Coordinates of all heavy atoms in Angstrom, one line a residue:
M15 N 15.3 -26.2 -8.4 CA 15.8 -26.9 -7.3 C 15.3 -26.2 -6.0 O 15.2 -25.0 -5.9 CB 17.3 -26.8 -7.3 CG 18.0 -27.6 -6.2 SD 19.8 -27.8 -6.6 CE 20.4 -26.5 -5.6
E16 N 15.0 -27.0 -5.0 CA 14.4 -26.5 -3.7 C 15.5 -25.8 -2.9 O 16.6 -26.4 -2.8 CB 13.7 -27.6 -3.0 CG 13.0 -27.1 -1.8 CD 12.2 -28.3 -1.1 OE1 11.7 -29.2 -1.8 OE2 12.2 -28.3 0.1
K17 N 15.2 -24.7 -2.3 CA 16.2 -24.0 -1.4 C 16.2 -24.8 -0.1 O 15.2 -25.3 0.4 CB 15.8 -22.6 -1.1 CG 16.0 -21.7 -2.3 CD 15.9 -20.3 -1.9 CE 16.3 -19.4 -3.1 NZ 16.3 -18.0 -2.7
I18 N 17.4 -24.8 0.5 CA 17.7 -25.5 1.7 C 17.2 -24.6 2.9 O 17.5 -23.4 2.9 CB 19.2 -25.8 1.9 CG1 19.6 -26.8 0.8 CG2 19.4 -26.4 3.3 CD1 21.1 -27.1 0.8
Q19 N 16.4 -25.1 3.8 CA 15.9 -24.4 4.9 C 16.7 -24.7 6.1 O 16.9 -25.9 6.5 CB 14.4 -24.8 5.2 CG 13.4 -24.4 4.0 CD 13.0 -23.0 4.1 OE1 12.5 -22.6 5.2 NE2 13.2 -22.2 3.1
N20 N 17.2 -23.7 6.8 CA 18.0 -23.9 8.0 C 17.2 -23.4 9.2 O 16.3 -22.5 9.0 CB 19.3 -23.1 7.9 CG 20.2 -23.6 6.8 OD1 20.5 -24.8 6.7 ND2 20.8 -22.7 6.0
S21 N 17.5 -23.9 10.4 CA 16.8 -23.5 11.6 C 17.7 -22.4 12.2 O 18.9 -22.5 12.3 CB 16.7 -24.7 12.6 OG 15.8 -25.6 12.1
Y22 N 17.0 -21.4 12.7 CA 17.6 -20.2 13.3 C 16.9 -19.8 14.6 O 15.7 -20.1 14.7 CB 17.6 -19.0 12.4 CG 18.4 -19.2 11.2 CD1 17.8 -19.6 10.0 CD2 19.8 -18.9 11.1 CE1 18.5 -19.8 8.8 CE2 20.5 -19.0 9.9 CZ 19.9 -19.5 8.8 OH 20.6 -19.6 7.6
E23 N 17.6 -19.2 15.5 CA 16.9 -18.5 16.6 C 17.5 -17.1 16.7 O 18.7 -16.9 16.4 CB 17.0 -19.3 17.9 CG 18.4 -19.5 18.5 CD 18.4 -20.3 19.7 OE1 17.5 -21.0 20.0 OE2 19.4 -20.2 20.5
T24 N 16.6 -16.2 17.1 CA 17.1 -14.8 17.2 C 16.5 -14.2 18.5 O 15.4 -14.5 18.9 CB 16.7 -13.9 16.0 OG1 17.1 -12.6 16.2 CG2 15.2 -13.9 15.8
V25 N 17.3 -13.5 19.3 CA 16.9 -12.9 20.5 C 17.0 -11.4 20.3 O 18.0 -10.9 19.7 CB 17.9 -13.3 21.7 CG1 17.5 -12.5 22.9 CG2 17.9 -14.8 21.9
L26 N 15.9 -10.7 20.7 CA 15.9 -9.2 20.6 C 15.8 -8.7 22.0 O 15.2 -9.2 22.9 CB 14.5 -8.8 20.0 CG 14.5 -8.7 18.5 CD1 13.1 -8.2 18.1 CD2 15.6 -7.8 18.0
V27 N 16.6 -7.6 22.2 CA 16.6 -6.9 23.5 C 16.0 -5.5 23.1 O 16.6 -4.7 22.4 CB 18.0 -6.7 24.1 CG1 17.9 -6.0 25.4 CG2 18.6 -8.1 24.3
I28 N 14.7 -5.3 23.6 CA 14.0 -4.1 23.2 C 14.0 -3.1 24.4 O 13.7 -3.4 25.5 CB 12.5 -4.5 22.9 CG1 12.5 -5.5 21.7 CG2 11.7 -3.3 22.5 CD1 11.2 -6.1 21.4
S29 N 14.1 -1.8 24.0 CA 14.2 -0.7 25.0 C 12.8 -0.6 25.6 O 11.8 -0.6 24.9 CB 14.6 0.6 24.3 OG 14.4 1.7 25.2
L30 N 12.8 -0.4 27.0 CA 11.5 -0.1 27.7 C 11.0 1.3 27.5 O 9.9 1.7 27.9 CB 11.6 -0.5 29.1 CG 11.8 -2.0 29.4 CD1 12.0 -2.2 30.9 CD2 10.6 -2.8 28.9
K31 N 11.9 2.2 26.9 CA 11.5 3.6 26.7 C 10.3 3.7 25.7 O 9.7 4.7 25.6 CB 12.7 4.4 26.2 CG 13.7 4.7 27.2 CD 14.9 5.5 26.7 CE 15.9 5.7 27.7 NZ 17.1 6.5 27.2
L32 N 10.1 2.6 24.9 CA 9.0 2.6 24.0 C 7.6 2.5 24.6 O 6.6 2.8 24.0 CB 9.1 1.4 23.0 CG 10.4 1.3 22.1 CD1 10.5 0.0 21.4 CD2 10.4 2.5 21.2
G33 N 7.6 2.1 25.9 CA 6.3 1.9 26.6 C 5.8 0.5 26.3 O 6.2 -0.2 25.4
D34 N 4.7 0.1 27.0 CA 4.1 -1.2 26.9 C 3.6 -1.4 25.5 O 3.8 -2.5 24.9 CB 3.0 -1.5 27.9 CG 3.6 -1.6 29.3 OD1 4.8 -1.9 29.4 OD2 2.8 -1.4 30.3
E35 N 2.9 -0.4 24.9 CA 2.3 -0.6 23.6 C 3.4 -0.6 22.5 O 3.3 -1.4 21.6 CB 1.3 0.6 23.3 CG 0.1 0.6 24.1 CD 0.2 1.3 25.4 OE1 1.2 2.2 25.6 OE2 -0.6 1.1 26.4
G36 N 4.4 0.2 22.7 CA 5.5 0.2 21.8 C 6.3 -1.1 21.7 O 6.7 -1.6 20.7
V37 N 6.5 -1.7 22.9 CA 7.2 -3.0 23.0 C 6.3 -4.1 22.3 O 6.8 -4.9 21.5 CB 7.5 -3.4 24.5 CG1 7.9 -4.8 24.6 CG2 8.6 -2.4 25.0
A38 N 5.0 -4.1 22.6 CA 4.1 -5.1 22.0 C 4.1 -4.9 20.5 O 4.1 -5.9 19.8 CB 2.7 -4.9 22.6
A39 N 4.1 -3.7 20.0 CA 4.1 -3.4 18.6 C 5.4 -3.9 17.9 O 5.4 -4.4 16.8 CB 3.9 -1.9 18.3
M40 N 6.5 -3.7 18.6 CA 7.8 -4.1 18.1 C 7.9 -5.7 18.0 O 8.3 -6.2 17.0 CB 8.9 -3.6 19.0 CG 10.3 -3.9 18.5 SD 10.8 -2.8 17.2 CE 11.0 -1.2 18.0
V41 N 7.3 -6.4 19.1 CA 7.3 -7.8 19.1 C 6.5 -8.3 17.9 O 6.9 -9.2 17.1 CB 6.7 -8.4 20.4 CG1 6.5 -9.8 20.3 CG2 7.7 -8.1 21.5
Q42 N 5.3 -7.7 17.7 CA 4.4 -8.1 16.6 C 5.0 -7.7 15.2 O 4.9 -8.5 14.3 CB 3.0 -7.4 16.8 CG 2.0 -7.9 15.8 CD 1.7 -9.3 16.0 OE1 1.5 -9.8 17.1 NE2 1.5 -10.0 14.8
K43 N 5.7 -6.6 15.1 CA 6.3 -6.2 13.8 C 7.3 -7.3 13.4 O 7.3 -7.7 12.2 CB 7.0 -4.9 14.0 CG 7.9 -4.5 12.8 CD 8.7 -3.2 13.1 CE 9.7 -2.9 12.0 NZ 10.5 -1.8 12.2
F44 N 8.2 -7.7 14.3 CA 9.2 -8.7 13.9 C 8.6 -10.1 13.7 O 9.0 -10.9 12.9 CB 10.4 -8.7 14.8 CG 11.2 -7.5 14.6 CD1 11.2 -6.4 15.4 CD2 12.0 -7.4 13.4 CE1 12.0 -5.3 15.2 CE2 12.8 -6.3 13.2 CZ 12.8 -5.2 14.0
K45 N 7.5 -10.4 14.4 CA 6.8 -11.7 14.2 C 6.2 -11.7 12.8 O 6.4 -12.7 12.1 CB 5.7 -11.8 15.3 CG 4.9 -13.1 15.2 CD 3.8 -13.2 16.3 CE 3.1 -14.5 16.1 NZ 1.7 -14.4 15.9
D46 N 5.6 -10.6 12.4 CA 5.0 -10.5 11.1 C 6.1 -10.6 10.0 O 5.9 -11.2 9.0 CB 4.2 -9.2 10.9 CG 2.9 -9.2 11.8 OD1 2.5 -10.3 12.3 OD2 2.4 -8.1 12.0
L47 N 7.2 -9.9 10.2 CA 8.3 -9.9 9.3 C 8.9 -11.3 9.1 O 9.1 -11.7 7.9 CB 9.4 -8.9 9.7 CG 10.6 -8.9 8.8 CD1 10.3 -8.2 7.5 CD2 11.7 -8.1 9.5
I48 N 9.1 -12.0 10.2 CA 9.6 -13.4 10.1 C 8.6 -14.3 9.4 O 9.0 -15.1 8.5 CB 10.0 -13.9 11.5 CG1 11.2 -13.1 12.0 CG2 10.4 -15.4 11.4 CD1 11.6 -13.3 13.4
E49 N 7.3 -14.2 9.7 CA 6.3 -15.0 9.1 C 6.2 -14.8 7.6 O 5.9 -15.7 6.8 CB 4.9 -14.8 9.7 CG 4.8 -15.4 11.1 CD 3.4 -15.1 11.8 OE1 2.8 -14.1 11.5 OE2 3.0 -15.9 12.6
A50 N 6.4 -13.5 7.2 CA 6.3 -13.2 5.8 C 7.5 -13.7 4.9 O 7.4 -14.0 3.7 CB 6.3 -11.7 5.6
N51 N 8.7 -14.0 5.6 CA 9.9 -14.4 4.9 C 10.4 -15.8 5.3 O 11.4 -16.2 4.7 CB 11.0 -13.4 5.1 CG 10.6 -12.0 4.5 OD1 10.7 -11.9 3.3 ND2 10.2 -11.1 5.3
A52 N 9.8 -16.4 6.3 CA 10.3 -17.7 6.8 C 9.1 -18.4 7.5 O 8.0 -17.9 7.5 CB 11.4 -17.4 7.8
T53 N 9.5 -19.6 8.0 CA 8.5 -20.4 8.7 C 8.7 -20.2 10.2 O 9.7 -20.6 10.7 CB 8.6 -21.9 8.4 OG1 8.5 -22.0 7.0 CG2 7.6 -22.7 9.1
L54 N 7.9 -19.4 10.9 CA 8.0 -19.1 12.3 C 7.6 -20.4 13.1 O 6.5 -20.8 12.9 CB 7.2 -17.9 12.7 CG 7.3 -17.4 14.1 CD1 8.7 -16.9 14.3 CD2 6.3 -16.3 14.4
E55 N 8.5 -20.9 13.9 CA 8.2 -22.0 14.7 C 7.7 -21.7 16.1 O 6.8 -22.3 16.6 CB 9.4 -22.9 14.8 CG 9.9 -23.5 13.5 CD 11.1 -24.3 13.6 OE1 12.0 -24.1 14.4 OE2 11.3 -25.2 12.7
S56 N 8.3 -20.7 16.7 CA 7.8 -20.3 18.1 C 8.3 -18.9 18.4 O 9.2 -18.4 17.9 CB 8.3 -21.2 19.1 OG 9.7 -21.1 19.3
V57 N 7.5 -18.2 19.3 CA 7.9 -16.9 19.8 C 7.8 -17.1 21.4 O 6.8 -17.5 21.9 CB 6.9 -15.8 19.4 CG1 7.2 -14.5 20.0 CG2 6.8 -15.7 17.9
D58 N 8.9 -16.8 22.0 CA 9.0 -17.0 23.5 C 9.3 -15.6 24.1 O 10.5 -15.1 23.9 CB 10.1 -18.0 23.8 CG 10.1 -18.3 25.3 OD1 9.2 -17.9 26.0 OD2 11.1 -19.0 25.7
E59 N 8.3 -15.0 24.7 CA 8.6 -13.7 25.3 C 9.1 -13.9 26.7 O 8.3 -14.3 27.6 CB 7.3 -12.9 25.3 CG 6.8 -12.5 23.8 CD 5.7 -11.5 23.8 OE1 5.7 -10.6 24.6 OE2 4.8 -11.7 22.9
W60 N 10.3 -13.5 26.9 CA 10.9 -13.7 28.2 C 10.5 -12.5 29.2 O 10.6 -12.6 30.4 CB 12.4 -13.7 28.1 CG 13.0 -14.9 27.4 CD1 12.3 -16.0 27.0 CD2 14.3 -15.1 26.9 NE1 13.1 -16.9 26.3 CE2 14.4 -16.3 26.3 CE3 15.5 -14.3 27.0 CZ2 15.5 -16.8 25.7 CZ3 16.6 -14.8 26.4 CH2 16.6 -16.1 25.8
G61 N 10.1 -11.4 28.6 CA 9.6 -10.3 29.4 C 10.7 -9.4 29.8 O 11.8 -9.4 29.3
K62 N 10.4 -8.6 30.8 CA 11.3 -7.6 31.3 C 12.4 -8.2 32.2 O 12.1 -9.0 33.1 CB 10.5 -6.6 32.2 CG 11.3 -5.3 32.5 CD 10.5 -4.4 33.4 CE 9.1 -4.1 33.0 NZ 8.5 -3.1 33.9
R63 N 13.6 -7.9 31.8 CA 14.8 -8.5 32.6 C 15.8 -7.4 32.9 O 15.9 -6.4 32.1 CB 15.5 -9.5 31.7 CG 14.7 -10.8 31.4 CD 14.6 -11.7 32.5 NE 13.8 -12.9 32.3 CZ 14.2 -14.1 31.9 NH1 15.5 -14.3 31.7 NH2 13.3 -15.0 31.8
R64 N 16.5 -7.6 33.9 CA 17.6 -6.7 34.3 C 18.8 -7.0 33.4 O 19.1 -8.1 33.2 CB 17.9 -6.8 35.8 CG 18.9 -5.8 36.3 CD 18.7 -5.6 37.8 NE 19.4 -4.4 38.2 CZ 19.0 -3.2 38.1 NH1 17.8 -3.0 37.4 NH2 19.7 -2.2 38.5
L65 N 19.4 -5.9 32.9 CA 20.6 -6.1 32.0 C 21.8 -6.3 32.9 O 21.9 -5.7 34.0 CB 20.8 -4.8 31.1 CG 19.6 -4.5 30.2 CD1 19.9 -3.2 29.5 CD2 19.5 -5.6 29.1
A66 N 22.8 -7.0 32.4 CA 24.1 -7.2 33.1 C 24.9 -5.9 33.2 O 25.6 -5.7 34.2 CB 24.9 -8.3 32.4
Y67 N 24.7 -5.0 32.3 CA 25.4 -3.7 32.3 C 24.5 -2.7 31.6 O 23.6 -3.1 30.8 CB 26.8 -3.8 31.6 CG 26.7 -4.4 30.2 CD1 26.5 -3.5 29.1 CD2 26.8 -5.7 30.0 CE1 26.5 -4.0 27.8 CE2 26.8 -6.2 28.7 CZ 26.6 -5.4 27.6 OH 26.6 -5.9 26.4
L68 N 24.7 -1.5 31.8 CA 23.9 -0.4 31.2 C 24.1 -0.4 29.7 O 25.2 -0.4 29.2 CB 24.2 0.9 31.8 CG 23.9 1.2 33.3 CD1 24.3 2.6 33.7 CD2 22.4 1.0 33.5
I69 N 23.0 -0.3 29.0 CA 23.0 -0.1 27.5 C 22.2 1.2 27.3 O 21.1 1.2 27.6 CB 22.4 -1.3 26.7 CG1 23.1 -2.6 27.1 CG2 22.4 -1.0 25.2 CD1 22.5 -3.8 26.5
N70 N 22.9 2.2 26.7 CA 22.2 3.5 26.5 C 21.6 4.0 27.8 O 20.5 4.5 27.7 CB 21.2 3.4 25.4 CG 21.8 3.1 24.1 OD1 23.0 3.2 23.9 ND2 21.0 2.6 23.1
K71 N 22.3 3.9 28.9 CA 21.8 4.3 30.2 C 20.5 3.6 30.7 O 19.8 4.2 31.5 CB 21.6 5.8 30.2 CG 22.9 6.6 30.0 CD 22.7 8.1 30.0 CE 24.0 8.8 29.6 NZ 23.9 10.2 29.5
E72 N 20.2 2.4 30.2 CA 19.1 1.7 30.6 C 19.5 0.4 31.3 O 20.5 -0.3 30.9 CB 18.2 1.2 29.3 CG 17.6 2.4 28.6 CD 16.7 2.0 27.5 OE1 15.8 1.1 27.8 OE2 16.8 2.5 26.4
A73 N 18.8 0.1 32.4 CA 19.2 -1.0 33.3 C 18.3 -2.2 33.0 O 18.6 -3.3 33.4 CB 19.1 -0.6 34.8
E74 N 17.1 -2.0 32.4 CA 16.2 -3.1 32.1 C 15.8 -3.0 30.7 O 15.8 -1.9 30.1 CB 15.0 -3.0 33.0 CG 15.2 -3.3 34.5 CD 13.9 -3.4 35.3 OE1 13.0 -2.6 34.9 OE2 13.8 -4.2 36.2
A75 N 15.4 -4.2 30.1 CA 14.9 -4.2 28.8 C 13.9 -5.4 28.6 O 13.8 -6.2 29.6 CB 16.1 -4.4 27.8
Y76 N 13.3 -5.5 27.5 CA 12.3 -6.6 27.2 C 13.0 -7.6 26.2 O 13.5 -7.2 25.2 CB 11.0 -6.0 26.6 CG 9.9 -6.9 26.6 CD1 9.0 -7.0 27.7 CD2 9.6 -7.7 25.5 CE1 7.9 -7.9 27.7 CE2 8.5 -8.5 25.5 CZ 7.7 -8.6 26.6 OH 6.6 -9.5 26.6
Y77 N 13.0 -8.8 26.6 CA 13.6 -9.9 25.8 C 12.6 -10.7 25.1 O 11.5 -11.1 25.6 CB 14.4 -10.8 26.7 CG 15.7 -10.3 27.2 CD1 15.8 -9.3 28.1 CD2 16.9 -10.8 26.7 CE1 17.0 -8.8 28.6 CE2 18.1 -10.3 27.1 CZ 18.1 -9.3 28.1 OH 19.3 -8.8 28.6
V78 N 12.8 -11.1 23.8 CA 12.0 -11.9 23.0 C 12.9 -12.9 22.2 O 13.9 -12.5 21.6 CB 11.1 -11.1 22.0 CG1 10.1 -12.1 21.3 CG2 10.4 -10.0 22.7
L79 N 12.5 -14.2 22.2 CA 13.2 -15.2 21.4 C 12.3 -15.7 20.3 O 11.1 -16.1 20.6 CB 13.6 -16.4 22.3 CG 14.2 -17.6 21.6 CD1 15.6 -17.3 21.1 CD2 14.2 -18.8 22.6
Y80 N 12.7 -15.7 19.1 CA 12.0 -16.2 17.9 C 12.8 -17.4 17.4 O 14.0 -17.3 17.2 CB 11.9 -15.2 16.8 CG 11.2 -13.9 17.1 CD1 11.9 -12.8 17.5 CD2 9.8 -13.8 17.0 CE1 11.2 -11.6 17.8 CE2 9.1 -12.6 17.3 CZ 9.9 -11.5 17.7 OH 9.2 -10.3 18.0
N81 N 12.1 -18.5 17.1 CA 12.7 -19.7 16.4 C 12.0 -19.8 15.0 O 10.8 -19.7 14.9 CB 12.4 -21.0 17.2 CG 13.3 -21.0 18.4 OD1 14.5 -21.1 18.3 ND2 12.6 -21.0 19.6
F82 N 12.8 -19.9 14.0 CA 12.3 -19.9 12.6 C 13.1 -20.7 11.7 O 14.3 -21.0 12.0 CB 12.0 -18.5 12.1 CG 13.3 -17.7 11.9 CD1 13.9 -17.7 10.7 CD2 13.8 -17.0 13.0 CE1 15.1 -16.9 10.5 CE2 15.0 -16.2 12.8 CZ 15.6 -16.2 11.6
K83 N 12.6 -21.1 10.6 CA 13.3 -21.8 9.5 C 13.2 -20.9 8.3 O 12.2 -20.4 7.9 CB 12.7 -23.2 9.2 CG 13.0 -24.2 10.2 CD 12.6 -25.6 9.7 CE 13.0 -26.6 10.6 NZ 12.8 -28.0 10.2
S84 N 14.4 -20.7 7.6 CA 14.4 -19.9 6.4 C 15.6 -20.3 5.5 O 16.5 -21.1 6.0 CB 14.5 -18.4 6.7 OG 15.8 -18.1 7.2
D85 N 15.7 -19.7 4.4 CA 16.9 -19.9 3.5 C 18.0 -19.0 4.1 O 17.8 -18.3 5.0 CB 16.6 -19.6 2.1 CG 16.0 -18.2 1.9 OD1 16.3 -17.3 2.7 OD2 15.4 -18.0 0.8
A86 N 19.2 -19.2 3.5 CA 20.4 -18.6 4.1 C 20.4 -17.0 4.0 O 21.1 -16.4 4.7 CB 21.6 -19.2 3.5
E87 N 19.6 -16.5 3.0 CA 19.7 -15.0 2.8 C 18.9 -14.2 3.8 O 19.3 -13.1 4.1 CB 19.2 -14.7 1.4 CG 20.1 -15.1 0.3 CD 19.9 -16.6 -0.1 OE1 18.7 -17.1 0.0 OE2 20.8 -17.3 -0.5
F88 N 17.8 -14.8 4.3 CA 16.9 -14.0 5.2 C 17.6 -13.5 6.5 O 17.4 -12.3 6.9 CB 15.6 -14.7 5.5 CG 14.7 -14.0 6.4 CD1 14.2 -12.8 6.1 CD2 14.4 -14.5 7.7 CE1 13.4 -12.1 7.0 CE2 13.6 -13.9 8.5 CZ 13.1 -12.6 8.2
P89 N 18.4 -14.3 7.2 CA 19.0 -13.8 8.5 C 19.8 -12.5 8.3 O 19.8 -11.7 9.2 CB 19.8 -15.0 9.0 CG 19.1 -16.2 8.4 CD 18.6 -15.7 7.1
A90 N 20.5 -12.4 7.2 CA 21.3 -11.2 7.0 C 20.4 -10.0 6.8 O 20.7 -8.9 7.3 CB 22.2 -11.4 5.7
E91 N 19.3 -10.2 6.1 CA 18.4 -9.1 5.9 C 17.7 -8.7 7.2 O 17.5 -7.5 7.5 CB 17.3 -9.4 4.8 CG 16.2 -8.4 4.6 CD 16.7 -7.1 4.1 OE1 17.9 -7.0 3.6 OE2 15.9 -6.1 4.1
L92 N 17.4 -9.7 8.0 CA 16.7 -9.5 9.3 C 17.7 -8.7 10.2 O 17.3 -7.8 10.9 CB 16.4 -10.8 10.0 CG 15.7 -10.8 11.3 CD1 14.3 -10.1 11.2 CD2 15.4 -12.2 11.8
D93 N 19.0 -9.1 10.2 CA 20.0 -8.4 11.0 C 20.1 -6.9 10.6 O 20.2 -6.0 11.4 CB 21.3 -9.1 10.9 CG 22.3 -8.6 12.0 OD1 21.9 -8.4 13.1 OD2 23.5 -8.4 11.6
R94 N 20.1 -6.7 9.3 CA 20.1 -5.3 8.8 C 19.0 -4.5 9.3 O 19.1 -3.3 9.7 CB 20.1 -5.3 7.2 CG 20.3 -4.0 6.6 CD 20.1 -4.0 5.1 NE 18.7 -4.2 4.7 CZ 17.8 -3.2 4.8 NH1 18.1 -2.0 5.2 NH2 16.5 -3.4 4.4
I95 N 17.8 -5.1 9.3 CA 16.6 -4.4 9.8 C 16.7 -4.1 11.3 O 16.3 -3.0 11.7 CB 15.3 -5.2 9.4 CG1 15.1 -5.2 7.9 CG2 14.1 -4.6 10.1 CD1 14.1 -6.1 7.4
Y96 N 17.2 -5.1 12.0 CA 17.4 -4.9 13.5 C 18.3 -3.6 13.7 O 18.0 -2.8 14.6 CB 18.1 -6.1 14.1 CG 17.3 -7.3 14.3 CD1 17.9 -8.5 14.5 CD2 15.9 -7.2 14.4 CE1 17.1 -9.7 14.8 CE2 15.1 -8.4 14.6 CZ 15.8 -9.6 14.8 OH 15.0 -10.7 15.0
K97 N 19.4 -3.5 12.9 CA 20.3 -2.4 13.1 C 19.8 -1.1 12.8 O 20.2 -0.1 13.4 CB 21.6 -2.7 12.3 CG 22.5 -3.8 12.8 CD 23.7 -4.0 11.9 CE 24.7 -5.0 12.5 NZ 24.3 -6.1 13.2
I98 N 18.8 -0.9 11.9 CA 18.3 0.4 11.6 C 16.9 0.7 12.3 O 16.3 1.7 12.1 CB 18.1 0.5 10.0 CG1 17.1 -0.5 9.5 CG2 19.4 0.4 9.3 CD1 16.7 -0.3 8.1
T99 N 16.5 -0.2 13.2 CA 15.2 0.0 13.9 C 15.5 0.7 15.3 O 16.3 0.1 16.1 CB 14.5 -1.3 14.1 OG1 14.3 -2.0 12.8 CG2 13.2 -1.1 14.8
D100 N 14.9 1.8 15.5 CA 15.0 2.5 16.8 C 14.3 1.6 17.9 O 13.2 1.1 17.6 CB 14.4 3.9 16.8 CG 15.2 4.8 15.9 OD1 16.4 4.6 15.8 OD2 14.6 5.8 15.4
G101 N 14.9 1.5 19.0 CA 14.3 0.8 20.1 C 14.9 -0.6 20.3 O 14.6 -1.3 21.3
I102 N 15.7 -1.1 19.4 CA 16.4 -2.4 19.5 C 17.7 -2.1 20.2 O 18.6 -1.4 19.6 CB 16.6 -3.1 18.2 CG1 15.3 -3.3 17.5 CG2 17.4 -4.4 18.4 CD1 14.4 -4.3 18.1
L103 N 17.9 -2.5 21.4 CA 19.2 -2.3 22.1 C 20.3 -3.3 21.6 O 21.4 -2.9 21.4 CB 19.0 -2.4 23.6 CG 18.1 -1.4 24.2 CD1 17.9 -1.7 25.7 CD2 18.6 0.0 24.0
R104 N 19.9 -4.6 21.5 CA 20.8 -5.6 21.1 C 20.0 -6.7 20.3 O 18.8 -6.9 20.6 CB 21.5 -6.3 22.2 CG 22.5 -5.4 23.0 CD 23.8 -5.2 22.2 NE 24.8 -4.5 23.0 CZ 24.9 -3.2 23.1 NH1 24.0 -2.4 22.6 NH2 25.9 -2.7 23.8
S105 N 20.7 -7.4 19.4 CA 20.0 -8.5 18.8 C 21.1 -9.6 18.5 O 22.3 -9.3 18.4 CB 19.4 -8.1 17.5 OG 20.4 -7.6 16.6
L106 N 20.7 -10.8 18.3 CA 21.6 -11.9 18.0 C 20.8 -13.0 17.2 O 19.7 -13.3 17.5 CB 22.0 -12.6 19.3 CG 23.0 -13.8 19.2 CD1 24.3 -13.3 18.6 CD2 23.2 -14.4 20.6
I107 N 21.4 -13.4 16.1 CA 20.8 -14.5 15.3 C 21.8 -15.6 15.2 O 23.0 -15.4 14.9 CB 20.5 -14.0 13.8 CG1 19.6 -12.7 13.9 CG2 19.9 -15.1 13.0 CD1 19.4 -12.1 12.5
I108 N 21.3 -16.8 15.6 CA 22.1 -18.0 15.6 C 21.5 -19.1 14.7 O 20.3 -19.4 14.8 CB 22.3 -18.5 17.1 CG1 22.9 -17.5 17.9 CG2 23.0 -19.8 17.1 CD1 23.0 -17.9 19.4
K109 N 22.4 -19.7 13.9 CA 22.0 -20.9 13.1 C 22.1 -22.1 14.0 O 23.2 -22.3 14.5 CB 22.9 -21.0 11.9 CG 22.5 -22.2 11.0 CD 23.4 -22.3 9.8 CE 23.2 -23.6 9.1 NZ 24.2 -23.8 8.0
K110 N 21.0 -22.8 14.1 CA 21.0 -24.0 15.0 C 21.5 -25.2 14.2 O 21.2 -25.3 13.0 CB 19.6 -24.3 15.5 CG 19.1 -23.2 16.5 CD 17.9 -23.6 17.3 CE 16.7 -23.7 16.4 NZ 15.5 -23.9 17.2
E111 N 22.2 -26.1 14.9 CA 22.6 -27.3 14.2 C 21.5 -28.3 14.1 O 20.6 -28.3 14.9 CB 23.8 -27.9 15.0 CG 25.0 -27.1 15.1 CD 25.7 -26.9 13.7 OE1 25.7 -27.8 12.8 OE2 26.1 -25.7 13.5
A112 N 21.5 -29.0 13.0 CA 20.4 -30.0 12.7 C 20.4 -31.1 13.6 O 20.9 -31.5 14.5 CB 20.5 -30.5 11.3

């Protein structure tokens, strides 16, 4: 039986303490991870934005939006990886309605 593919979007807030190369590497790392486990539809780099409040004493961060389709198990694993990765200030994964 074929697994049901759901549409998801995830937003990453990446620390600027990583530097330009570190931020670019982080964006590419998660792009590769999503492509390996799901169908990546788009990557929208919002760039450097001011935060509404300080997170770890940082006032600015780098935002990236990924849209992808996967089975129901992958977003939980992706969230787990976000939580253990240094340099990720915040993350959000949302299941989009069909």
Side-chain angles (χ1 to χ4, degrees):
M15 189 165 96
E16 188 177 323
K17 287 193 174 187
I18 297 173
Q19 296 277 304
N20 295 314
S21 293
Y22 296 92
E23 64 182 19
T24 180
V25 176
L26 271 185
V27 181
I28 302 171
S29 172
L30 293 176
K31 289 181 180 176
L32 299 174
D34 291 340
E35 293 87 19
V37 169
M40 187 77 68
V41 170
Q42 188 62 43
K43 171 187 173 180
F44 285 105
K45 180 178 183 243
D46 294 342
L47 178 68
I48 293 169
E49 284 177 334
N51 295 285
T53 305
L54 185 65
E55 295 177 333
S56 67
V57 178
D58 187 11
E59 295 190 38
W60 296 349
K62 194 186 306 186
R63 298 279 175 102
R64 186 150 193 80
L65 299 172
Y67 54 91
L68 294 179
I69 301 174
N70 298 343
K71 299 181 183 175
E72 294 186 50
E74 288 187 328
Y76 194 87
Y77 284 72
V78 185
L79 171 73
Y80 299 96
N81 287 295
F82 63 95
K83 283 189 176 189
S84 75
D85 57 23
E87 291 82 32
F88 176 63
E91 177 64 13
L92 184 62
D93 192 46
R94 185 189 73 78
I95 294 168
Y96 286 161
K97 285 179 172 36
I98 62 172
T99 304
D100 290 336
I102 303 291
L103 298 177
R104 294 286 188 274
S105 64
L106 179 67
I107 302 173
I108 297 174
K109 180 180 172 187
K110 296 195 287 188
E111 294 299 320

